Amino acid sequence: MIIEEIVTNINDLSPDERNKRHLEKVHLESADLMKRIQRVETDHGRDLGIRLKNPHDLEAGDVLYMDDQNIIMVEVKRDDLLIIRPRNMYEMGTIAHQLGNRHLPAQFEGEEMLVQYDYLVEELLVELDIPFIREDRKVKQAFRHIGHSHGS
């Protein structure tokens, strides 16, 4: 089966719509969410080809296929993350500036900044005395690097 577009997101379906169908999941690494073309396998052993027509990153819960009996959706595997919890705007500005200089992508959930684990960032957080924890957590979207150069 070739998937060319996202049907919907599981969170946009009513509980009745979800519960009346058999659910299969495609488990992806967060980095794979950015791939438009890939071959995957569901947790029930079904092979799928993903070839998205539109340039769109996959997200947790995206429904790749749905009929009257089945749903195949994206489930994101856990990432090794640093969960940064600045206490104030100064700490937030300091760590955001430092991470920006390293071109590290970050995500935000509530009051937390999430970055993929890096021992140098961990050392920096300890040095700057900015609160953080290291945790395996599922993210909803891919960590996307923003491409640019410092030249003119």
Side-chain angles (χ1 to χ4, degrees), residues 113-137:
M113 175 187 275
L114 286 58
V115 296
Q116 290 175 307
Y117 178 77
D118 180 299
Y119 75 95
L120 293 172
V121 173
E122 183 178 38
E123 288 176 1
L124 177 65
L125 290 164
V126 169
E127 178 185 321
L128 296 173
D129 189 33
I130 296 176
F132 73 94
I133 60 170
R134 183 175 175 184
E135 180 178 285
D136 284 340
R137 187 187 285 190

Side-chain angles (χ1 to χ4, degrees), residues 13 16 27 31-32 36 39 66 71-74 78:
L13 296 174
D16 288 342
H27 295 274
D32 293 334
R36 279 189 37 234
R39 185 176 176 163
M66 184 169 71
I71 293 176
I72 300 175
M73 66 168 267
V74 172
R78 294 180 178 275

